[in-house]
Amino acid sequence: MLSPAPERAHTVRTRARGTAAAVREKVGAAWRWFRAFRHTRPFWGGLWLVAGGWTVLKFSLSSVQLIVSTGFGGVAGYLTGGGMILCGLIPIAAPRQRYTFGLIGAVLAVVSLVVSNLGGFLAGMALGVLGASMTVGWGPKRPARRARHVAEEG
């Protein structure tokens, strides 16, 4: 008489294959959703603008005593970096606002050159201007027009 161990091993392997397939399907569905999300928004422009704001914010970090003692000059780096991050995130959430927040982000990126360690040593400013211009220049895809000669032949 055969022991039930080989049967159990077979069912465990079958369940594992089924679980792996389910996980792959879920990952595939999540990836398809993310691609659709990314293509309907100024995703890359917003991402570059957020990266520029984070860079400006990172190079503006200093102790609280120094910020309080310097006044607005100490807080300006935080305001510009935080504003750039917000200007990058809002168009991703609300694509119709891309012009307004793209232009504000570009202005904040250029202002960061003066108020925050050369705009995060020029890297934050450059990323911010790049991201802002990509955000403003983004447009939803239009449906492709059919060729005229195809309609005329039919």
Side-chain angles (χ1 to χ4, degrees):
M1 189 166 157
L2 291 173
S3 67
E7 291 175 10
R8 266 192 235 138
H10 176 68
T11 56
V12 168
R13 273 184 265 144
T14 306
R15 284 184 191 159
R17 280 190 210 128
T19 305
V23 167
R24 262 182 279 160
E25 181 61 34
K26 286 182 182 181
V27 168
W31 182 251
R32 284 188 298 275
W33 175 85
F34 179 68
R35 283 189 64 181
F37 175 82
R38 196 179 66 206
H39 288 293
T40 58
R41 285 149 171 44
F43 180 77
W44 292 110
L47 189 69
W48 286 116
L49 193 53
V50 167
W54 180 81
T55 305
V56 168
L57 197 62
K58 184 177 185 319
F59 288 118
S60 296
L61 295 178
S62 57
S63 69
V64 175
Q65 273 185 326
L66 182 63
I67 292 170
V68 171
S69 66
T70 57
F72 182 73
V75 178
Y78 289 102
L79 293 176
T80 16
M84 286 170 65
I85 290 172
L86 283 175
C87 287
L89 292 176
I90 291 173
I92 293 173
R96 291 182 180 230
Q97 302 298 321
R98 67 186 182 272
Y99 292 120
T100 304
F101 288 99
L103 291 174
I104 293 171
V107 168
L108 286 173
V110 172
V111 166
S112 74
L113 180 68
V114 178
V115 299
S116 173
N117 295 333
L118 290 175
F121 298 113
L122 298 177
M125 187 197 72
L127 289 172
V129 169
L130 172 72
S133 62
M134 287 174 70
T135 301
V136 170
W138 179 85
K141 287 190 176 182
R142 296 184 183 140
R145 286 193 260 165
R146 290 178 44 180
R148 282 188 173 176
H149 62 83
V150 172
E152 290 172 359
E153 288 176 8

